[in-house]
Amino acid sequence: MNKQKFKKVAILVSILLLPSLLYLLLHTGENNFKRLPFYGPKSLSQSGDTIYHKIPNFEFTNHLGETVTQDDYNGYFYVADFFFVTCPTICPKMTTHMLQLQEHFKDRKDFKLLSHTVNPEHDSVKVLYNYSREVKAIDSIWNFVTGPKEIIYEVAFKGYFANAMEDELAPGGFLHSSNLFLIDKKGHIRGIFDGTSTSETNTLMDAIEILYREQFAPLKSKK
């Protein structure tokens, strides 16, 4: 068999075997690839399915003056954080890493970012808009949201298990989490990463890719 015929046969065999290989990869057990954990409390439904913690429903106003709710993020993977525009310490680094996520995943139509200000009295729609322009945020991907302070803090604490509060001893007057939170398409927390760390941000990027692969072999109970 000459080289040209051998190459044609090899290509044909590869085409015939590819569907079988994909089936084995996706359907032979649940541990073929690493899965991400679910964070937060969980319970069992009456039918015995596992019910995982979800980010609670929210309604905020973004940097464009538009209302943003949980419905705008259902069906999307997204990364969320808490910050404030005048933050003198950790926020600039966190924003830099959020920007890296934007650039890395900007071609994915089902990926978004969500940044909550913890200082809504200062961070008005106009302030957030100017900030979004400064950091070169893409409006269709990244929302900077504001709203009633008590609601933002409640969502932080009960939804993300994150600190968000006024603290006169903290730099800039506010204490908030430095974490980036990875949320899946059903509102579950699937990863928590240090937003000030470049290595953790790289790990977060890997985790996002794992979530994309999980779509093809979902768990039986992911409510």
Side-chain angles (χ1 to χ4, degrees), residues 45-62:
S45 68
Q46 291 183 347
S47 61
D49 291 332
T50 303
I51 301 174
Y52 297 99
H53 171 79
K54 287 185 177 183
I55 302 301
N57 293 332
F58 59 82
E59 182 175 313
F60 296 120
T61 303
N62 73 1

Side-chain angles (χ1 to χ4, degrees), residues 4 11 15 41 43 70 85 91 95 103 123 133 141 149 162 171 178-179 187-188 195 199 201 208:
Q4 187 174 3
I11 292 174
I15 292 173
S43 59
Q70 183 67 55
V85 170
C91 296
T95 299
E103 292 304 304
D123 294 348
R133 300 286 80 88
I141 298 175
K149 180 172 58 179
S178 65
N179 289 327
H188 306 122
S199 62
T201 303
I208 293 169

Side-chain angles (χ1 to χ4, degrees), residues 142-168:
W142 195 349
N143 281 306
F144 298 84
V145 296
T146 186
K149 180 172 58 179
E150 295 77 11
I151 301 300
I152 294 172
Y153 292 178
E154 182 177 18
V155 168
F157 183 70
K158 293 183 178 180
Y160 296 89
F161 313 109
N163 289 324
M165 64 185 72
E166 291 186 69
D167 185 344
E168 61 182 14

Side-chain angles (χ1 to χ4, degrees), residues 32-33 44 74 82:
N32 290 324
F33 58 85
L44 291 177
N74 287 336
F82 294 86

